[in-house]
Amino acid sequence: MAVPIAVLDCDLLLYGRGHRTLDRFKLEDVTDEYLVSTYGFPRQFIYYLVDLLGATLSRPTQRSRAISPETQILAALGFYTSGSFQTRMGDAIGISQASMSRCVANVTEALVERASQFIHFPEDEAAVQNLKDDFYGLAGMPGVLGVVDCTHVAIKAPNAEDLSYVNRKGLHSLNCLMVCDARGVLLSAETHWPGSLPDCTVLEQAALASQFETELHKDGWLLGDSSFLLRTWLMTPLHIPETPAEYRYNMAHSATHNVIERTLRTIRSRFRCLDGSKGTLQYSPEKSSHIVLACCVLHNISLEHGLDVWSSPAAGHMEQPEEEYEQMESVDSEACRIRQELLLNHFT
């Protein structure tokens, strides 16, 4: 006769968890310096996340319902900012590595549920104009609604047969499409694209392209680098500038587009689970995509709380499987006309 085997949570064995909440770690007992060095964020930011996510993380259907929302959030922040499930992280808040993993999953899904709340383009006219004004103040490029770029995040191989996530460097990755404003606030984040897709193809298939082609602001555009095709709503640099106006346009374009490059570097520096320094994300592509998106949400929340986007120290290890790309030439005559008009009106 088969003997039923009970699967026991090691937290239950160690702490007798049952259905009570485990208050293993008290935020008020440690300094802000400790919280920032261990979990990446100060006390008030963590308290805000507890208020924001507490009800979701306390759902009685979740296995880790007896672990307090505060502890779950600390566990997740520890992983996002260090890229590791090291025992010392779990020891600091009194939970096992298995529970650490579940906490990360719970907090990640709670943040993903709120992605549209924190990552979106402004809608009212005044906010849109402020967006353009902020970009214009950087380098004199008018009409800019956002700067767009792609970044790769390394993941484990999904399976031997699936080559769609193998990028041009032979590494498995997600190709993540991001747009930010002049302060580095993310306005769009699509984190699920397979690494084999070039940036241009990602944008062509992205919801972002449909959004701009069908809904958004006809009197403005995004800025993208030469890995993208020129579109009526996406201004790219000139491949071979010849006139002074064309050189000025390219210089303004580069200075403005640099914001997204700096933002992506900062996100990877702040959230070390994305930078490859502790290895690839050991999850399925879908779960890895959600982790990236959760970090994007945290990035925007941190800016709302005055944590400067440029204040994070540069990471010592930034192994990123970026793709080389060929210069893209547009065949969109209307897009070429708009860019030429921009050159004549603002850079001549």
Side-chain angles (χ1 to χ4, degrees), residues 218 221 230-233 235 332-345:
K218 304 300 182 183
W221 39 72
L230 179 70
R231 309 286 285 272
T232 57
W233 47 268
M235 294 293 103
D332 187 333
S333 59
E334 178 63 11
C336 291
R337 185 195 65 77
I338 290 174
R339 184 169 66 180
Q340 190 61 29
E341 189 175 278
L342 178 60
L343 279 162
L344 293 173
N345 292 339

Side-chain angles (χ1 to χ4, degrees), residues 97-275:
Q97 183 169 317
S99 290
M100 279 278 294
S101 181
R102 288 197 300 276
C103 290
V104 170
N106 292 343
V107 174
T108 295
E109 293 311 307
L111 288 168
V112 167
E113 287 176 7
R114 291 161 177 79
S116 61
Q117 176 183 346
F118 294 99
I119 303 175
H120 56 82
F121 282 90
E123 296 180 356
D124 64 274
E125 290 186 11
V128 171
Q129 188 58 51
N130 287 338
L131 190 62
K132 294 179 183 178
D133 291 344
D134 288 345
F135 275 119
Y136 188 79
L138 294 179
M141 180 69 78
V144 180
L145 299 169
V147 283
V148 60
D149 207 351
C150 286
T151 186
H152 284 258
V153 175
I155 62 172
K156 73 173 183 178
N159 58 61
E161 292 76 29
D162 189 353
L163 300 180
S164 65
Y165 292 91
V166 179
N167 59 42
R168 289 176 60 177
K169 293 194 174 182
L171 304 173
H172 291 82
S173 67
L174 296 168
N175 196 1
C176 305
L177 181 71
M178 310 280 193
V179 180
C180 76
D181 70 9
R183 295 193 305 118
V185 176
L186 293 173
L187 305 175
S188 177
E190 297 186 37
T191 60
H192 62 283
W193 297 102
S196 66
L197 294 180
D199 296 356
C200 183
T201 303
V202 168
L203 182 57
E204 286 177 357
Q205 299 180 8
L208 178 69
S210 298
Q211 191 178 16
F212 266 80
E213 287 171 353
T214 60
E215 303 172 16
L216 278 178
H217 326 292
K218 304 300 182 183
D219 56 343
W221 39 72
L222 302 177
L223 295 188
D225 63 22
S226 297
S227 63
F228 301 108
L229 282 170
L230 179 70
R231 309 286 285 272
T232 57
W233 47 268
L234 177 69
M235 294 293 103
T236 60
L238 289 145
H239 181 28
I240 305 177
E242 295 176 348
T243 68
E246 289 176 346
Y247 276 102
R248 284 191 288 269
Y249 167 85
N250 270 14
M251 290 177 64
H253 188 291
S254 177
T256 307
H257 187 265
N258 185 54
V259 174
I260 185 65
E261 297 168 6
R262 294 174 66 192
T263 298
L264 294 176
R265 286 196 299 269
T266 300
I267 291 172
R268 296 171 68 86
S269 176
R270 174 171 280 165
F271 301 105
R272 301 299 297 274
C273 67
L274 308 181
D275 77 353

Side-chain angles (χ1 to χ4, degrees), residues 47 54 78 272 287 293 296 300 309 311:
Y47 281 144
R272 301 299 297 274
K287 289 184 178 179
L293 186 55
C296 291
N300 275 11
V309 66
S311 64

